[in-house]
Amino acid sequence: MTTTSTDTIPLAPVYTITIASNGAAMVDGEDVTAPGTDHQAARLAALAEVRIKAALHGRPVRATVKDTDGTALPLVVDIDGTTTTLAHPAPSAPAAPAPPAAGPVAREALGALTVAAWRAVSDPDTAHTSETADFLTETAEQLVAAGADRTETLRVIRNAHTIWHHTRDDDPDTARELAPRLLGLLQDCHPRRTADVITWSTTFSGATI
C-alpha cells in the first residue's frame, strides 16, 4: 500500500465522482456504470476510473464523491488504488492547474496504465477511434520509457498499430501525426507493421517520412 502525505498532493485536478440512487456513476460527467448497478459496485468502478487517471499523472490525485444522500466526501486516490478520506475539502485550486510531471510514469503505475489500455480496446464504443490510437501510442511510449514488461509493452504497441490501421482513412491527419511515433515503437520488432505504416505514409504524403 502506498503512503503519501496529502499535503504534498497538488490541488488540481480534482475529479468529481457522482453516484445516483439508481446505481449510475459518473466521473466528471462521463458515465462509468449503467443504471441498475449495485451502489457499492458503482462506487468501486468510479474509483477505479480515478485510479487510472492517477496512473496517467504518475502520482495520487484528489477526488470528491457526491453520494445519493447529498454528501460530498473529499478523497485522495493513489495509483495503487489506495483511497484516503480527507477531513476537509481541499482549498480552491489555482486558476491554471499544474501540468503532470514530465518523464516516464512511475513503475507502480504501469499496471493501471496497461489496464486502461486493455479497456480502451475492449470498449466497442471507443475501440476504433483515432483518440484511442493516440492514447495507446502514448501508453506504449510510457511503457517503453519506464522499462515495463516487454510482453505487455509489445501487446500495447500491436494494439496501437491495429487501431491506427482501422482509423487512418477516417482521420488521416491524426494518422499522419501518429505515424512517426508508431514507427519508433515498431522498429526492430514488427517488420510487417512497420512496412504498413511506411507504405501508407508514403502514399498519403507523397514522400517517405
Side-chain angles (χ1 to χ4, degrees), residues 15 17 27 45-55 61-63 77:
Y15 296 100
I17 297 172
V27 175
L47 288 173
E49 285 294 322
V50 177
R51 176 188 177 187
I52 291 171
K53 295 180 186 298
V61 295
R62 297 177 184 269
V77 181

Side-chain angles (χ1 to χ4, degrees), residues 17-69:
I17 297 172
T18 305
I19 304 176
S21 58
N22 63 1
M26 296 188 295
V27 175
D28 283 356
E30 295 187 4
D31 293 335
V32 175
T33 61
T37 304
D38 174 78
H39 182 272
Q40 182 63 16
R43 179 186 175 90
L44 292 174
L47 288 173
E49 285 294 322
V50 177
R51 176 188 177 187
I52 291 171
K53 295 180 186 298
L56 292 173
H57 282 278
R59 60 167 175 80
V61 295
R62 297 177 184 269
T64 299
V65 180
K66 295 184 177 180
D67 222 324
T68 54
D69 59 3

